[in-house]
Amino acid sequence: MTKFTLKSLAFSSILLIGAFNACQFASLGQPTPDNVGQPRNTVPGGPRFAQPREDVEQSPPRAGRQTRGNCRNSGLNPINLTGLVPENKIARTVSEYPTFFFYLPPTKAESAEFILLDPSGNQIYKQTLKVANLSGVIGVSIPANNNVPPLEVGKKYTWNFTVICEAEDRSADLLEIGTVRRVELSTDIRSELEKADPRRKTAIYAENGIWQDALSNLAAARRDRPSDTMLDADWESLLDAVKLTKIAKQPIVQVQTEPKP
């Protein structure tokens, strides 16, 4: 083999090594997906939610209805009625009596209805809400009392949230449907939560795929500290993680319940 050939081979090897190292350095600067195929937030520094793979692989509940008709004031806001949950409408909670959140668009409706069904399809809670002239993010809490059984660990419950457009023609309702499953926290996570401040608690829930409690904990913190811009950023980050960025700037509003007959 000639000296010229040897020198050419050596030079080519150096070029290959240099190219390989450049690729290595480039890859080191890229984020490594922690859950491939699962939603991640894009707002730096906020809580990072990733839906557990088991939930991602489940079939979503049947689709709701977004009938427009004369009910929607669609010219005021193009966003539909939306449950603040992961995209496939499947979420987790650790609470016996969780809180659910929805974005309510401007409508001509007077009332809305929340129903919670147990795994057998039996109604365990129903609440009618006054929504006349109301628009924004609302929370619906399951009351902790003897009339409502607590959610059981390991069981999946179905919720329906309906905006009643015409009381005499329920086919015109706006409807969202989703499921929630109560899970149990490990001892380590419980210990970490006990030591955490409100912002860190939201992050712990989110990191462990517990959507309902991450959201309700953060909503409560924002209610207590309405001028805290860091909590506002956390809210945007958390909603961005489940592709609800368009709702992140909407106000959180109080909703009144109608007395039971």
Side-chain angles (χ1 to χ4, degrees):
M1 187 177 292
T2 66
K3 290 183 179 180
F4 175 78
T5 303
L6 289 171
K7 288 181 179 180
S8 297
L9 288 171
F11 181 71
S12 298
S13 299
I14 292 170
L15 288 177
L16 286 171
I17 291 170
F20 175 74
N21 286 340
C23 291
Q24 271 192 318
F25 294 144
S27 65
L28 287 174
Q30 300 297 319
T32 302
D34 43 14
N35 285 282
V36 176
Q38 300 180 25
R40 298 178 60 193
N41 68 303
T42 57
V43 181
R48 305 185 66 83
F49 174 80
Q51 191 174 28
R53 189 172 297 278
E54 178 187 351
D55 293 351
V56 172
E57 294 171 351
Q58 287 186 37
S59 299
R62 66 186 178 89
R65 293 193 302 272
Q66 296 292 340
T67 306
R68 292 186 180 272
N70 294 323
C71 184
R72 281 289 311 274
N73 292 328
S74 56
L76 300 177
N77 194 321
I79 307 173
N80 286 331
L81 172 68
T82 306
L84 271 59
V85 287
E87 197 172 13
N88 64 356
K89 313 296 184 185
I90 297 172
R92 297 186 177 199
T93 185
V94 297
S95 175
E96 293 182 336
Y97 298 98
T99 298
F100 299 84
F101 291 86
F102 304 91
Y103 170 71
L104 182 70
T107 70
K108 298 175 183 177
E110 298 287 329
S111 61
E113 184 179 78
F114 176 86
I115 294 176
L116 186 66
L117 307 174
D118 70 14
S120 299
N122 300 311
Q123 179 179 301
I124 59 174
Y125 181 67
K126 178 179 178 179
Q127 182 63 66
T128 304
L129 312 164
K130 299 177 181 179
V131 299
N133 303 313
L134 191 68
S135 176
V137 173
I138 64 172
V140 181
S141 297
I142 308 300
N145 60 46
N146 294 332
N147 296 323
V148 183
L151 271 61
E152 296 183 42
V153 172
K155 293 190 176 182
K156 184 169 68 175
Y157 298 78
T158 300
W159 52 258
N160 298 336
F161 185 80
T162 309
V163 175
I164 303 171
C165 296
E166 298 178 31
E168 297 179 359
D169 179 15
R170 297 297 298 270
S171 65
D173 289 353
L174 305 180
L175 173 67
E176 275 279 86
I177 300 173
T179 64
V180 63
R181 181 159 67 95
R182 188 181 167 208
V183 296
E184 198 162 26
L185 290 173
S186 69
T187 303
D188 289 345
I189 295 175
R190 285 183 182 277
S191 177
E192 192 175 357
L193 284 168
E194 289 173 0
K195 304 170 187 173
D197 62 21
R199 288 192 73 212
R200 180 57 189 150
K201 282 183 180 178
T202 296
I204 293 169
Y205 284 128
E207 290 163 4
N208 288 280
I210 304 170
W211 173 259
Q212 293 294 155
D213 300 84
L215 190 66
S216 58
N217 182 79
L218 182 51
R222 291 187 72 205
R223 183 178 62 244
D224 293 340
R225 291 151 56 187
S227 300
D228 192 326
T229 56
M230 296 182 73
L231 292 176
D232 292 343
D234 285 353
W235 182 260
E236 290 185 37
S237 176
L238 192 60
L239 292 187
D240 179 75
V242 293
K243 301 181 181 180
L244 294 177
T245 310
K246 60 186 179 182
I247 293 174
K249 294 292 188 181
Q250 298 296 324
I252 299 177
V253 296
Q254 295 296 316
V255 62
Q256 291 184 329
T257 59
E258 292 187 355
K260 295 185 179 298

